[in-house]
Amino acid sequence: MARKSGSHGEITGPRILAAAERLIARKGFAAVTMREIAREVGVQAGALYLYIPDKQTLLFDLMRRHMEELLAAWEAEPKGETPLEQLEAFARFHIRFHLARPDATFISYMELRNLEPENFARIEALRKRYEDILEGILKEGSAAGVFRVPDTKLATMALIAMLTGVNTWYREGGRLSRERVERIYWNMVRRAVKG
Amino acid sequence: MARKSGSHGEITGPRILAAAERLIARKGFAAVTMREIAREVGVQAGALYLYIPDKQTLLFDLMRRHMEELLAAWEAEPKGETPLEQLEAFARFHIRFHLARPDATFISYMELRNLEPENFARIEALRKRYEDILEGILKEGSAAGVFRVPDTKLATMALIAMLTGVNTWYREGGRLSRERVERIYWNMVRRAVKG
DNA sequence: TCTTGATATGAACGAATGTTCAGTTAAACC
DNA sequence: GGTTTAACTGAACATTCGTTCATATCAAGA
């Protein structure tokens, strides 16, 4: 029997990615088995291979999707005119986007070393494109005398680390609203680079 | 035969921790096998169990040692008088300490989810003690009107994330000296919280 | 109604895992 | 020189891993 109940064609493919994302974020890629993922989807382990070639590709697909959605979401974002407005847009966008996808964010920062070299290079390339966005804003603002940053690359890494750090402690329904967190972080970012 | 060459009593215990730290930092706890660690030490896998009870304890020992050394090192650090001086001391200390121990730092931030609940709680307690040091400085400076931080807990998390982020990109012998990195980061920290 | 093709099962594969343990070695002590 | 003892080996244990595949099921088209 193919399944206990329900009909075929009930989109199993996407459910695999969703289940894998949840499990890998919680336990780590190496600690999650294909059988666990299958159980979460409600299917036997062998059935996973109708949708993915192997476990490594599953991880790569999750990370690539996350990075591509990140870049696409920024493209669709209202940018602002001045470097200061752009920096605020970026800071708020970064917090908002990553807080909305805690699992994917966690995986993309923690599981890099479980990617095979070629896959690693491709994810790193996407990440660099994202970092270049922030560095571009900082460079422009530096040239205009609005920002004072001795090293734009270093400032880029510092600000992204700080902003991504929100994910490690923020909890929905906690003491602070997302809007309030955004404002406080934006204030720290602004003051950290203000000329 | 016990060994191919050399004599017994050549401190194998510490070498296990050192090898495990290197390997786990590079490949992740779940992806490292006891046989790999043993090979790195130059011993058979069974011999590891003369020094450690099991793999989980090995991870816990690494993380506990790191956190305890961190707290002890801060105790031994010259503190400064004013909140501003204390904050500078903390920022520079944090960067210096963690850059000197990239493997242990990496493990302590990445492998928390591989700790069993009880071990996790103990490591988290140590981490909280460390975060409380920075929050204490921020609170004191806020009360004195030297700092302007709307929420000391949030600022603590933001600054620690930013400072620890140095480890993700800094490379010995790279473009920037450690002293220069320290100064630039300290400047950003100072401006981010200055009243 | 018969055929087709996608979807899924469940058993099986070899390899690898953490851990144990009876036996071996060699240095240290009497 | 004989005994003790800590250090270590190497084989074995029961599980579990990712992956494959012959087979079964079912919905849809002819």
Side-chain angles (χ1 to χ4, degrees), chain A residues 191, chain B residues 74 78-93 133-149 159 163 182-183 185-195:
Chain A
R191 293 155 72 184
Chain B
W74 171 254
K79 301 289 195 306
E81 304 285 335
T82 70
L84 199 67
E85 286 169 353
Q86 285 173 31
L87 185 60
E88 175 170 9
F90 184 91
R92 289 179 177 272
F93 164 80
I133 293 166
L134 175 55
E135 189 173 4
I137 295 172
L138 292 178
K139 275 180 176 159
E140 200 185 329
S142 275
V146 188
F147 302 150
R148 181 157 46 107
V149 286
L159 295 183
L163 293 172
E182 268 187 38
R183 173 159 45 235
Y185 267 81
W186 158 236
N187 262 307
M188 287 196 291
V189 167
R190 179 176 49 80
R191 293 156 73 185
V193 304
K194 197 166 61 178

Side-chain angles (χ1 to χ4, degrees), chain B:
Chain B
M1 185 162 42
R3 346 169 76 230
K4 304 289 189 207
S5 66
S7 61
H8 278 179
E10 271 184 53
I11 40 120
T12 294
R15 296 188 58 199
I16 294 175
L17 285 186
E21 187 168 277
R22 254 197 317 271
L23 287 170
I24 294 174
R26 190 180 316 146
K27 315 180 49 179
F29 175 71
V32 170
T33 71
M34 299 303 276
R35 285 169 179 82
E36 277 182 291
I37 296 171
R39 194 185 318 133
E40 195 96 343
V41 176
V43 102
Q44 292 289 330
L48 299 181
Y49 291 86
L50 295 170
Y51 302 92
I52 52 161
D54 50 40
K55 198 189 179 195
Q56 166 72 202
T57 305
L58 177 57
L59 176 62
F60 175 65
D61 285 348
L62 283 175
M63 296 180 71
R64 186 180 39 140
R65 184 179 66 174
H66 177 70
M67 294 308 296
E68 284 174 350
E69 283 181 4
L70 174 64
L71 290 165
W74 171 254
E75 286 305 316
E77 191 78 2
K79 301 289 195 306
E81 304 285 335
T82 70
L84 199 67
E85 286 169 353
Q86 285 173 31
L87 185 60
E88 175 170 9
F90 184 91
R92 289 179 177 272
F93 164 80
H94 186 96
I95 291 176
R96 186 166 10 98
F97 182 90
H98 288 92
L99 276 188
R101 295 160 181 79
D103 287 347
T105 300
F106 203 66
I107 292 172
S108 288
Y109 278 84
M110 302 285 261
E111 304 294 355
L112 279 169
R113 62 185 159 185
N114 285 308
L115 288 175
E116 287 165 4
E118 188 190 345
N119 291 337
F120 177 82
R122 291 172 66 182
I123 297 297
E124 280 300 289
L126 292 173
R127 184 188 307 280
K128 173 148 181 39
R129 277 181 52 195
Y130 184 68
E131 291 169 358
D132 284 346
I133 293 166
L134 175 55
E135 189 173 4
I137 295 172
L138 292 178
K139 275 180 176 159
E140 200 185 329
S142 275
V146 188
F147 302 150
R148 181 157 46 107
V149 286
D151 188 284
T152 54
K153 182 66 186 160
L154 183 150
T156 297
M157 301 307 286
L159 295 183
I160 286 186
M162 185 172 111
L163 293 172
T164 308
V166 177
N167 272 63
T168 65
W169 59 267
Y170 182 85
R171 293 298 169 257
E172 197 90 25
R175 189 163 51 84
L176 302 168
S177 72
R178 203 205 62 204
E179 164 55 29
R180 183 147 158 69
V181 171
E182 268 187 38
R183 173 159 45 235
I184 297 178
Y185 267 81
W186 158 236
N187 262 307
M188 287 196 291
V189 167
R190 179 176 49 80
R191 293 156 73 185
V193 304
K194 197 166 61 178

Side-chain angles (χ1 to χ4, degrees), chain A residues 107-118:
Chain A
I107 291 172
S108 289
Y109 278 83
M110 304 283 262
E111 305 294 355
L112 278 170
R113 60 186 159 184
N114 284 308
L115 288 175
E116 288 166 3
E118 187 188 346

